Amino acid sequence: MKYKSQKVAYWFFALSMLLLILQITYGFIMGFARIGFDNLHEFIPFNTARAVHINLLVVWLLSGFMGAAYYIIPEESQRELVSVKLAYVQLISLAVVGVVAVVGFHFNMWEGRKFLEIPRPLDYLVVVNVLLFLGIILLTLFKGKRKTTTALVLSMGLLFAALLYLPGMLPFDSQVTDSFFRWWVVHLWVEGVWELIMGGILSFLLIKLTGVDREVIEKWLYVIVGLTFLSGVLGTGHHYYYIGVNKIWLVVGGIFSALEPLAFLAMALFAVNMYRKGEKKHPNKLALYWTLGSAIVSFVGAGLLGFAHTLPQTNLYTHGTLVTAMHGHLAFWGAYAMIVLAIISYSLPNMTGRKLYETSRGRAAFWLSNIGMVGMTVAFGVAGVAQVYLERKMKMDFMAVQNEISIHFVVLVLCATMFTAGIVLYIVDFYKHGKPTDEALEVTN
């Protein structure tokens, strides 16, 4: 079944594509600065570029998640959204908050807390925006003809993501206490409730693309939810090792961080198993590539590379180095960026009626972006290991070490160029699909 209100999803996806390009642009500004081409420093200093790059990552992914919810929830609940007009109001207000925040960063209007830099007044606007979004989604689900596990897990992830934003708004005079609660937002988003959002979208896509029974696929969701909460909540402890809290977190963080890859392993096995069981030969192979790719790459980036440097004995040396950037880039790309690109690849032909999923452009976008990201991850990893040895073992000065490892940023920029070429091709494909039409959404009603 398709529903006309699903058109709203297209505009959230369009916003996410725009923000993605902006995020990449600021990434290049940082990359060129690291190899000596810092000509924009007067207008966009490194700290500003970094704040914009990181915060745009969060906003474009949230925009993608919201678009996914606006597409999936009507189909899963078998009814139109309760208010399309309010959904568009929410989209516009989200875009306005994002623009004001990014412009503000260029005028030093921020809180200086990584991932949560936006000024406090904008925090309240974010809360209002998300409450409006949740009201539309949850009311649609409540009034719907059915309530599936897929829809409930997706909605639960979105609801908990909203609730966990609130601890980041609490004011503290102590840097230690502030850091303690800031990680409730950052960690419990990306290694907790966002995994539920990913699991919900993954489940929806596998049901549509493989033809495997819903009951079989949704049983796996219970496993993923269980593993996420088992490891993710107390796994927050690996951010508490050296911030001034009790030493018990060295033990708790170490044990539960070792369990965190299990949720991503479950998702990878889940996706591959469903693909093998599936008898349905869905024509949209591109959406299937992105779906399976997300499950597999997230296990490597978020699971294995995360585990590689979150044990206390290792993290003592790698904390605050480029090893973290190595893990962060592949983790966010595999777990969240690829699943957003997967739902866009699946939904666009359905919303527009244009079946462009067999183009060489789409396949090139997939492979160029993934190969480029793997290259970036390797460059960060090599630079990070060299930084750890020179800075933490040889006790060299931080800036002296940055000069020594600058060659790795040349490789990074080259790989980022390949990655960007893939993303540009993906966005060209997005544009070529055109806008959604009522006729396309009426085809299977």
Side-chain angles (χ1 to χ4, degrees):
M1 298 287 286
K2 298 178 186 177
Y3 297 87
K4 291 181 181 179
S5 59
Q6 289 175 310
K7 286 192 294 185
V8 176
Y10 174 88
W11 298 105
F12 276 86
F13 293 149
L15 175 62
S16 69
M17 293 295 96
L18 174 62
L19 296 175
L20 172 56
I21 281 293
L22 283 174
Q23 189 218 356
I24 291 171
T25 301
Y26 279 86
F28 271 110
I29 291 171
M30 288 192 292
F32 280 115
R34 294 296 291 265
I35 58 176
F37 297 99
D38 199 10
N39 300 325
L40 291 175
H41 182 81
E42 232 179 284
F43 311 101
I44 309 175
F46 189 88
N47 63 319
T48 300
R50 184 174 183 272
V52 174
H53 182 68
I54 290 175
N55 282 268
L56 281 177
L57 168 67
V58 175
V59 179
W60 90 255
L61 288 176
L62 285 176
S63 178
F65 291 158
M66 289 171 176
Y70 280 133
Y71 185 85
I72 293 170
I73 295 300
E75 199 158 326
E76 290 291 293
S77 63
Q78 294 185 344
R79 65 152 291 146
E80 299 282 2
L81 292 173
V82 291
S83 176
V84 175
K85 288 182 180 177
L86 283 178
Y88 281 117
V89 169
Q90 189 246 323
L91 168 66
I92 294 166
S93 63
L94 177 67
V96 169
V97 169
V99 169
V100 172
V102 169
V103 172
F105 290 160
H106 292 78
F107 293 94
N108 289 324
M109 294 170 58
W110 50 23
E111 292 196 351
R113 303 156 71 223
K114 190 168 68 172
F115 288 106
L116 303 175
E117 279 97 343
I118 68 171
R120 186 53 50 94
L122 288 181
D123 276 334
Y124 298 113
L125 293 178
V126 169
V127 170
V128 172
N129 183 276
V130 173
L131 285 175
L132 178 58
F133 166 70
L134 287 173
I136 296 167
I137 290 300
L138 295 178
L139 200 54
T140 301
L141 193 58
F142 178 75
K143 289 186 171 183
K145 294 178 183 177
R146 64 174 185 175
K147 296 169 182 64
T148 65
T149 302
T150 295
L152 291 172
V153 169
L154 175 60
S155 301
M156 182 170 66
L158 292 164
L159 175 62
F160 286 167
L163 293 175
L164 285 168
Y165 188 75
L166 299 178
M169 295 175 63
L170 298 174
F172 297 105
D173 293 328
S174 165
Q175 178 67 46
V176 173
T177 310
D178 183 78
S179 290
F180 187 90
F181 286 103
R182 185 175 68 86
W183 287 115
W184 281 28
V185 185
V186 180
H187 173 91
L188 290 176
W189 265 15
V190 301
E191 295 172 73
V193 294
W194 278 23
E195 290 180 37
L196 302 185
I197 297 170
M198 178 193 176
I201 299 172
L202 188 63
S203 172
F204 175 81
L205 287 168
L206 289 172
I207 289 168
K208 297 296 182 183
L209 295 170
T210 66
V212 175
D213 286 346
R214 177 181 290 275
E215 292 76 12
V216 176
I217 287 178
E218 291 186 336
K219 281 178 184 176
W220 274 88
L221 265 184
Y222 292 114
V223 176
I224 291 166
V225 170
L227 288 172
T228 297
F229 282 108
L230 170 68
S231 60
V233 174
L234 290 175
T236 312
H238 66 240
H239 296 289
Y240 295 160
Y241 292 159
Y242 314 113
I243 67 169
V245 297
N246 196 292
K247 288 183 180 179
I248 189 64
W249 288 107
L250 289 168
V251 178
V252 174
I255 291 171
F256 285 92
S257 292
L259 297 175
E260 281 189 340
L262 294 179
F264 288 103
L265 176 61
M267 275 192 258
L269 293 175
F270 164 50
V272 172
N273 264 344
M274 295 308 104
Y275 171 66
R276 286 180 174 174
K277 281 187 178 183
E279 297 176 1
K280 185 177 180 181
K281 301 297 181 184
H282 199 283
N284 194 341
K285 293 292 188 294
L286 202 54
L288 189 61
Y289 290 165
W290 285 109
T291 302
L292 294 176
S294 174
I296 294 166
V297 176
S298 67
F299 171 60
V300 177
L304 293 182
L305 294 185
F307 171 73
H309 84 114
T310 52
L311 294 178
Q313 300 89 331
T314 308
N315 197 257
L316 177 66
Y317 296 99
T318 62
H319 187 79
T321 69
L322 291 165
V323 172
T324 304
M326 168 196 72
H327 157 60
H329 277 74
L330 197 62
F332 271 102
W333 171 247
Y336 306 122
M338 288 183 73
I339 202 67
V340 168
L341 299 181
I343 187 65
I344 292 173
S345 294
Y346 171 76
S347 62
L348 266 185
N350 297 333
M351 289 190 288
T352 65
R354 304 190 72 183
K355 315 298 184 184
L356 300 181
Y357 34 66
E358 277 301 318
T359 64
S360 56
R361 182 174 55 243
R363 289 190 292 272
F366 176 82
W367 288 111
L368 282 173
S369 57
N370 275 285
I371 293 170
M373 180 55 73
V374 169
M376 290 166 63
T377 303
V378 172
F380 273 126
V382 174
V385 171
Q387 180 185 10
V388 168
Y389 183 77
L390 295 175
E391 192 178 311
R392 306 285 163 86
K393 297 293 285 182
M394 301 297 291
K395 310 298 181 185
M396 287 177 62
D397 180 72
F398 175 82
M399 291 308 297
V401 172
Q402 298 307 303
N403 288 331
E404 293 294 329
I405 63 175
S406 61
I407 184 62
H408 300 298
F409 284 91
V410 175
V411 178
L412 178 73
V413 169
L414 292 174
C415 293
T417 303
M418 180 185 293
F419 170 79
T420 305
I423 295 299
V424 168
L425 288 175
Y426 187 94
I427 292 174
V428 168
D429 223 32
F430 184 95
Y431 174 77
K432 291 286 186 182
H433 273 88
K435 296 177 183 177
T437 64
D438 287 344
E439 292 76 17
L441 290 168
E442 285 171 353
V443 170
T444 57
N445 274 354

